Amino acid sequence: MNVTVKSTARARKKAAPGVPDNRAGVAAPELVQLLTPEGDRVEHPDFPLTTTPEELRSLYRDLVLVRRFDAEATSLQRQGELGLWASLLGQEAAQVGSGRAMRPGDYAFPTYREHGVAWCRDVDPLNLLGMFRGVNHGGWDPNEKNFHLYTIVIGSQTLHATGYAMGITKDGADDAVIAYFGDGASSQGDVNEAFTFASVYNAPVVFFCQNNQWAISEPTTNQTRIPLYRRASGFGFPGVRVDGNDVLACLAVTRWAMDHARSGNGPVLIEAFTYRMGAHTTSDDPTRYRLAEETEAWKAKDPILRLKAHLDKEGLADEAFFAEVEAESEKLGLRVREGVRSMPDPDPTLIFDHVYSEPHTLVDEERAEYLEYAASFEGGEHN
């Protein structure tokens, strides 16, 4: 793989760490890993990472709390409290590692599954759940959190991120943008168009693909003949594949990529090789298209268990710490559960507001028809 980075006044042609460079004739490993599934710390020559015991414990706390919040949301949907939920189970390390790699001024563009990144950007979990309950349109100020609203349209946020990154360049700011998408979205035209614009305009954007192996019911092998990270070379920027269940590797690689982008070297594609342990959304049944043996094999690579094993082996945390985190997770689950159940039902007529910037006859007629229909249920029985 021959990697070329577009030159600018602040950049020079260079090879990306962790990616083969034909000039040197040396091929680096395809998967960047700093923490093995057994919890052993390993080094990578291109992605060094120094962490304190406090930082490692903080990352563990993030992983546990994000998973607890996600599990509570899934339960609430099953109980009829949410309309839908897209679980991140199994992808916590990819999201927390990349989320903690961002600086305050950096901006993130998520899909609809980046609950862990939202956590890292201090978005209240109840704001996420309010959207899935239908009581708000996002619930947080994107410019306050530097975390854009969730995007349901597959892949379109990569174009938004690229445009924002181009604006950063024109403003002369020392920030970078990260755009999240899945392996399924990599087949969308929007994503490939974003790659083209980002490369040509040398935009400071990192494309973070969470390859969780399944685009709903379609495996990655049905979408690409080569590893996804290698697609970057065709657009003229570096691509790196990282162990998406390794929070330390995701942190180190994303930190490098964001610095690479903000330094004027242009975009980077990160493929976080991970696995979606649960359903695509709560309306999906993964047992209809994938084998239980596959899921069991990935359980051995669990991101939380491997970091816990590392903390245990190195004596960096004791049972009191783990118990404290578990207790905190229970408090979070209770707050989320009570908070969602206390949310008011949304006004159903709001769906007719803001369809057009000006009043529209057809929308007015539809609103009137709905109000008449709803009124027919008041004070009487209905089928």
Side-chain angles (χ1 to χ4, degrees), residues 49-62:
L49 180 68
T50 301
T51 54
T52 66
E54 183 180 1
E55 289 170 336
L56 292 174
R57 289 192 293 267
S58 180
L59 288 171
Y60 177 82
R61 174 182 175 271
D62 285 337

Side-chain angles (χ1 to χ4, degrees), residues 30-54:
E30 286 194 355
L31 187 71
V32 177
Q33 185 179 87
L34 299 182
L35 193 63
T36 70
E38 296 74 28
D40 296 322
R41 183 73 163 85
V42 294
E43 300 296 331
H44 191 285
D46 294 324
F47 300 100
L49 180 68
T50 301
T51 54
T52 66
E54 183 180 1

Side-chain angles (χ1 to χ4, degrees), residues 259-271:
D259 287 342
H260 176 97
R262 69 165 54 89
S263 299
N265 295 314
V268 177
L269 171 61
I270 298 174
E271 177 191 357

Side-chain angles (χ1 to χ4, degrees), residues 60 63-64 67 92 245 302-309:
Y60 177 82
L63 296 175
V64 171
R67 178 170 293 186
E92 296 91 351
N245 285 21
D302 185 273
I304 297 180
L305 293 181
R306 75 169 66 182
L307 183 54
K308 184 177 183 180

Side-chain angles (χ1 to χ4, degrees), residues 83-104:
L84 187 73
W85 183 249
S87 173
L88 57 60
L89 183 62
Q91 300 177 219
E92 296 91 351
Q95 296 192 16
V96 169
S98 61
R100 290 304 182 196
M102 285 188 281
R103 296 179 182 176

Side-chain angles (χ1 to χ4, degrees), residues 8-263:
T8 66
R10 294 191 296 161
R12 63 183 184 279
K13 192 175 291 186
K14 57 189 287 189
V19 183
D21 182 354
N22 287 350
R23 294 171 297 166
V26 178
E30 286 194 355
L31 187 71
V32 177
Q33 185 179 87
L34 299 182
L35 193 63
T36 70
E38 296 74 28
D40 296 322
R41 183 73 163 85
V42 294
E43 300 296 331
H44 191 285
D46 294 324
F47 300 100
L49 180 68
T50 301
T51 54
T52 66
E54 183 180 1
E55 289 170 336
L56 292 174
R57 289 192 293 267
S58 180
L59 288 171
Y60 177 82
R61 174 182 175 271
D62 285 337
L63 296 175
V64 171
L65 295 183
V66 166
R67 178 170 293 186
R68 182 65 180 84
F69 156 64
D70 179 69
E72 191 63 41
T74 299
S75 296
L76 286 166
Q77 194 283 327
R78 296 306 189 200
Q79 296 164 14
E81 301 290 349
L82 302 178
L84 187 73
W85 183 249
S87 173
L88 57 60
L89 183 62
Q91 300 177 219
E92 296 91 351
Q95 296 192 16
V96 169
S98 61
R100 290 304 182 196
M102 285 188 281
R103 296 179 182 176
D106 296 335
Y107 206 107
F109 285 80
T111 63
Y112 45 79
R113 199 188 302 275
E114 275 66 59
H115 321 312
V117 184
W119 173 267
C120 293
R121 303 307 275 179
D122 296 325
V123 174
D124 190 327
L126 286 174
N127 279 334
L128 299 178
L129 296 174
M131 183 181 66
F132 284 93
R133 189 175 171 88
V135 301
N136 63 45
H137 298 291
W140 64 91
D141 181 352
N143 293 324
E144 177 191 352
K145 304 298 185 181
N146 276 16
F147 183 76
H148 201 264
L149 298 180
Y150 274 8
T151 305
I152 306 299
V153 179
I154 305 300
S156 64
Q157 72 279 359
T158 57
L159 284 170
H160 306 155
T162 300
Y164 192 95
M166 291 165 62
I168 286 178
T169 300
K170 292 183 179 297
D171 291 342
D174 186 27
D175 298 317
V177 176
I178 185 168
Y180 291 89
F181 61 99
D183 49 290
S186 69
S187 298
Q188 291 289 111
D190 295 36
V191 174
N192 291 272
E193 290 167 5
F195 287 177
T196 298
F197 270 86
S199 176
V200 170
Y201 287 93
N202 213 54
V205 56
V206 173
F207 297 105
F208 194 93
C209 175
Q210 293 175 84
N211 179 2
N212 63 20
Q213 313 304 314
W214 291 93
I216 307 183
S217 59
E218 287 296 310
T220 307
T221 52
N222 285 2
Q223 301 185 72
T224 180
R225 297 288 295 274
I226 62 171
L228 292 174
Y229 79 94
R230 290 186 180 173
R231 289 186 176 181
S233 64
F235 293 90
F237 56 87
V240 183
R241 174 183 276 189
V242 62
D243 184 344
N245 285 21
D246 177 355
V247 67
L248 300 185
C250 291
L251 173 63
V253 170
T254 307
R255 185 176 287 169
W256 167 82
M258 298 293 278
D259 287 342
H260 176 97
R262 69 165 54 89
S263 299

Side-chain angles (χ1 to χ4, degrees), residues 1-2 14 26 138 160 207 264 281 293 356:
M1 173 181 168
N2 187 14
K14 57 189 287 189
V26 178
H160 306 155
F207 297 105
T281 69
E293 291 84 352
Y356 296 101

